[in-house]
Amino acid sequence: PILQEAYIHLAALLLELPRPEEALQQALLALQIAPNSSAELSALGQTFRANGRFDDAAIAFREAMRLEPARPEPYAELAELVCAKPDASLEQRRDALLLARRARELKRTSDSDALVARPEAALVAAGGDPQAVAGSTPTTDPAALLARLQQNVERDPADAEARVKLAQALAQARRAPEAIQQYEEALRLAPERQ
């Protein structure tokens, strides 16, 4: 799933820049790899919304909800989408409120925290395992973690997975251009592509 992960994270970064057309291309590539993934459908919905394709976004969010009904993100995204539409009817807005409440309920009972930044996200970017980076001393210091992940890439520049982990940490550090570069290089190197 290196390709899938790289495409979906690259799409999210491109949306932040904002480069919605490029983000849509990356989200579609991720969906080709995992067509039945709620996360990829949610990302596709976000890119459709950013490109002004609101009906397509709603379809993607609804399909994500169907595939994984316990995942709060598509409910929240669809509620936000409906509320952002100036021509939404009162009934649609009421439905959006119900969706938002459902998202909040699911968020409370779920281990999913994709909508909330976590302090240990850099550690998760290293595979969730402090031993996944060079050396044996665990660290939550972002600068030290970035240095270790960079060393892993320098040690084996052809390691696509190491580049994805570095890209995730760079994105968490708000270094989007460098993260995009690492994701693109990982995609070029990924074994699934060959």
Side-chain angles (χ1 to χ4, degrees):
I2 293 170
L3 279 177
Q4 175 187 352
E5 193 173 328
Y7 283 131
I8 207 67
H9 290 295
L10 182 54
L13 277 174
L14 291 168
L15 272 179
E16 289 178 18
L17 286 181
R19 290 166 44 188
E21 298 86 13
E22 293 172 72
L24 179 57
Q25 292 171 354
Q26 299 304 317
L28 287 168
L29 289 168
L31 194 61
Q32 285 178 0
I33 295 168
N36 294 317
S37 168
S38 176
E40 272 66 12
L41 281 161
S42 289
L44 182 63
Q46 292 167 0
T47 61
F48 277 143
R49 181 180 55 220
N51 281 282
R53 295 172 57 181
F54 302 113
D55 292 338
D56 291 331
I59 291 168
F61 293 137
R62 283 190 181 99
E63 181 63 9
M65 289 167 22
R66 186 190 69 75
L67 288 171
E68 200 174 340
R71 196 167 165 268
E73 292 83 5
Y75 293 89
E77 293 286 352
L78 184 56
E80 185 179 313
L81 176 71
V82 171
C83 290
K85 289 176 60 176
D87 61 343
S89 69
L90 183 58
E91 184 177 335
Q92 289 172 321
R93 291 181 187 278
R94 284 185 189 135
D95 289 344
L97 179 59
L98 294 174
L99 288 168
R101 285 179 181 159
R102 180 70 179 140
R104 192 175 62 227
E105 284 172 16
L106 290 170
K107 186 69 179 151
R108 276 192 225 140
T109 60
S110 168
D111 291 334
S112 171
D113 47 1
L115 295 178
V116 179
R118 300 181 335 181
E120 68 276 10
L123 189 58
V124 172
D129 176 8
Q131 305 306 322
V133 292
S136 60
T137 307
T139 181
T140 56
D141 174 33
L145 182 61
L146 274 173
R148 288 183 177 181
L149 292 168
Q150 183 65 45
Q151 288 171 352
N152 288 348
V153 168
E154 289 168 1
R155 199 174 0 268
D156 185 0
D159 184 348
E161 189 171 350
R163 287 184 180 276
V164 167
K165 289 177 182 178
L166 176 58
Q168 289 172 327
L170 287 165
Q172 286 294 321
R174 299 280 185 219
R175 293 168 57 181
E178 294 167 88
I180 289 170
Q181 181 182 20
Q182 290 301 322
Y183 279 128
E184 288 173 342
E185 187 61 19
L187 289 168
R188 190 180 70 70
L189 295 168
E192 295 100 345
R193 179 166 275 194
Q194 297 162 10

